[in-house]
């Protein structure tokens, strides 16, 4: 396999209710990777329309995710922040990948099964083909590293399968076009730390999610201090004090989740948190968690509010990022066309 320049790509859907899971599972990783890598972070609006969206709300949500990226510390000048629909090569490469991916591969995707639910016949074709678009997002930049939460692992595996099959199917053409023995890298998922799967505050066996009807199930990045405090205090727990060892968390999903959140927010391990709070009652631990959450998330929410109030600035960030992303995507898409044997201007 040819060697590729390391490049980070990831995306977040603009579907509202950006929450602590998105922040700890993904966005904090995006921020950290800026120090070591070139990074491209995308507001994936084409993915959002795989389920119905209200156009005015979608516009607002695209700006809100952009504001969250900036408020959390992503630098739109040294890296790239943009929205997917402004770079048409994502959709173009997705079509090519629709012809690379096999039905059998897509049939295995658990997220489609969950999202389509019982009424599968009525799900959009886009929802089904979604993982091919996700592979295109990453591979149109030939990105090598993809920070995501645990729930995206299966999609990343599919992206690797697609890259591998494309490289195999067109190996002769790839070589004769001067790309050595592989055009696409096999992108590596980066899924690390104590909060790769943040769970609902109401049910420790369910993922924290944007679409949970109960707002008490999640902490939104735009929640104020009072809302954060209320949600943490009401979070489901059990009657036992916290254990001193991680093993003691295993049969206790709600305790495990809150300890994981605390660990991730303070950038330590769960073992460190238990060394401090082992034996403590939840009332004590929750007070500390409220203080920590408000200290970490309060300034982010305030900055998001400030940014969202200036849509012209947000839109200019997206325009600039899309311009720069577009240059990279076009170059790779042209190469894909040459490899496929298309005639182009
Ligand atoms: P999305 O918008 O659902 O979520 C954005 C990121 O947040 C992570 N995440 C979580 N992490 C921990 N705990 C949770 N409860 C939790 N909920 C969400 C997700 O894993 C994700 O990293 N398909 C993607 C968006 C996408 C993408 C891409 C990602 C489109 N193209 C290319 C990477 C590369 C999605 O729907 O993420």
């Amino acid at each position: 396999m040819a060697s590729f320049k390391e490049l980070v790509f990831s995306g977040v859907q603009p579907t509202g209710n950006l929450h602590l899971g998105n922040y700890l599972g993904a966005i904090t990783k995006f921020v950290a990777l800026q120090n070591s890598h070139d990074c491209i972070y995308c507001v994936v609006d084409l993915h959002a329309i795989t389920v119905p969206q209200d156009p005015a709300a979608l516009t607002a949500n695209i700006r809100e995710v952009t504001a969250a990226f900036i408020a959390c510390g992503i630098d739109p000048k040294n890296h790239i922040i943009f929205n997917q629909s402004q770079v048409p090569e994502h959709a173009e490469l997705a079509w090519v990948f629709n012809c690379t991916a096999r039905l059998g591969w897509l049939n295995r995707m658990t997220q489609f099964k969950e999202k389509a639910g019982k009424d599968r016949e009525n799900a959009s074709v886009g929802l089904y083909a979604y993982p091919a678009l996700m592979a295109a997002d990453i591979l149109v930049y030939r990105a090598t590293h993809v920070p995501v939460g645990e729930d995206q692992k299966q999609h990343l595996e599919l992206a690797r399968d697609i890259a591998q099959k494309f490289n195999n199917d067109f190996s002769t053409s790839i070589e004769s076009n001067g790309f050595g023995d592989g055009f696409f890298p096999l992108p590596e998922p980066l899924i690390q730390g104590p909060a790769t799967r943040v769970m609902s505050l109401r049910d420790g066996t369910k993922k924290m999610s944007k679409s949970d009807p109960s707002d008490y199930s999640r902490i939104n990045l735009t929640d104020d201090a009072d809302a954060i405090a209320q949600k943490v205090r009401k979070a489901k727990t059990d009657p036992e004090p916290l254990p001193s060892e991680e093993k003691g968390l295993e049969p206790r999903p709600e305790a495990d989740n809150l300890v994981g959140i605390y660990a991730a927010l303070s950038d330590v391990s769960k073992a460190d948190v238990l060394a401090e709070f082992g034996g403590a009652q939840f009332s004590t631990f929750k007070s500390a968690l409220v203080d920590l959450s408000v200290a970490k998330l309060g300034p982010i929410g305030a900055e998001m509010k400030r940014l969202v109030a200036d849509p012209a600035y947000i839109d200019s960030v997206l325009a600039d990022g899309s311009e720069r992303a577009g240059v990279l995507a076009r170059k790779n898409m042209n190469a894909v066309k040459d490899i496929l044997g298309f005639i182009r201007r």
Side-chain angles (χ1 to χ4, degrees):
M1 179 63 61
S3 70
F4 294 89
K5 185 179 169 295
E6 291 200 354
L7 178 64
V8 169
F9 180 93
S10 197
V12 175
Q13 287 200 60
T15 38
N17 298 334
L18 214 55
H19 55 68
L20 187 64
N22 302 125
Y23 176 68
L24 294 176
I27 303 175
T28 55
K29 314 287 171 58
F30 299 1
V31 174
L33 283 160
Q34 294 180 107
N35 298 324
S36 52
H37 288 77
D38 288 332
C39 303
I40 304 178
Y41 296 127
C42 185
V43 184
V44 290
D45 46 14
L46 296 176
H47 278 89
I49 62 163
T50 55
V51 296
Q53 297 294 334
D54 169 65
L58 181 60
T59 307
N61 287 331
I62 293 169
R63 292 194 180 119
E64 186 177 281
V65 175
T66 310
F69 282 175
I70 301 169
C72 292
I74 297 170
D75 174 354
K77 288 257 175 291
N78 285 319
H79 300 273
I80 293 179
I81 296 178
F82 76 108
N83 60 314
Q84 195 183 20
S85 60
Q86 293 207 60
V87 180
E89 285 76 9
H90 288 247
E92 209 176 353
L93 185 60
W95 178 257
V96 175
F97 286 168
N98 281 342
C99 303
T100 305
R102 306 290 93 183
L103 280 179
W105 299 359
L106 289 170
N107 285 340
R108 283 199 289 273
M109 295 295 114
T110 53
Q111 197 160 88
F112 173 75
K113 290 179 199 165
E114 280 163 22
K115 286 199 177 171
K118 288 198 179 71
D119 195 10
R120 204 182 289 188
E121 292 289 304
N122 206 24
S124 73
V125 174
L127 189 66
Y128 183 74
Y130 177 118
L133 176 60
M134 184 163 157
D137 297 337
I138 301 162
L139 294 170
V140 83
Y141 302 100
R142 300 166 93 196
T144 56
H145 292 81
V146 186
V148 281
E150 175 73 35
D151 62 336
Q152 295 301 317
K153 192 170 176 212
Q154 195 184 33
H155 289 158
L156 257 295
E157 280 160 8
L158 188 87
R160 292 168 67 90
D161 289 344
I162 288 176
Q164 176 104 61
K165 179 160 165 58
F166 184 96
N167 286 346
N168 290 343
D169 288 353
F170 297 101
S171 59
T172 311
S173 183
I174 287 169
E175 224 176 317
S176 65
N177 276 284
F179 292 108
D181 58 357
F183 182 70
F184 288 121
L186 306 189
E188 255 184 63
L190 302 174
I191 304 174
Q192 287 145 359
T196 57
R197 188 172 175 82
V198 177
M199 308 309 276
S200 158
L201 299 181
R202 310 296 285 163
D203 177 353
T205 63
K206 257 174 59 187
K207 197 179 67 172
M208 184 178 286
S209 123
K210 295 170 186 159
S211 55
D212 193 312
S214 166
D215 201 48
Y216 276 92
S217 68
R218 66 183 159 259
I219 295 177
N220 300 307
L221 291 188
T222 48
D223 282 345
D224 61 19
D226 282 350
I228 294 174
Q230 268 199 25
K231 288 175 178 181
V232 171
R233 292 214 179 90
K234 284 202 165 159
K236 186 175 170 201
T237 48
D238 56 48
E240 303 298 315
L242 280 170
S244 307
E245 308 278 328
E246 250 184 287
K247 214 164 163 33
L249 291 173
E250 270 168 28
R252 301 172 64 186
E254 283 85 15
D256 187 29
N257 189 39
L258 294 183
V259 169
I261 290 171
Y262 192 101
L265 280 174
S266 50
D267 206 12
V268 299
S269 68
K270 287 194 212 175
D272 292 334
V273 176
L274 294 180
E276 190 179 344
F277 290 98
Q281 296 295 330
F282 270 108
S283 52
T284 310
F285 179 64
K286 280 182 169 180
S287 291
L289 184 55
V290 167
D291 291 346
L292 178 63
S293 307
V294 169
K296 289 279 172 181
L297 302 179
I300 293 173
E303 180 64 359
M304 279 174 69
K305 246 187 220 135
R306 194 185 70 77
L307 289 164
V308 165
D310 187 356
Y313 169 70
I314 302 263
D315 294 1
S316 75
V317 166
L318 293 173
D320 172 65
S322 300
E323 184 78 34
R324 288 185 288 133
V327 171
L328 305 172
R330 211 135 43 234
K331 180 165 170 274
N332 291 330
M333 195 61 217
N334 280 340
V336 168
K337 288 181 181 173
D338 292 343
I339 290 165
L340 292 169
F342 290 167
I343 294 171
R344 62 180 177 91
R345 280 172 280 136

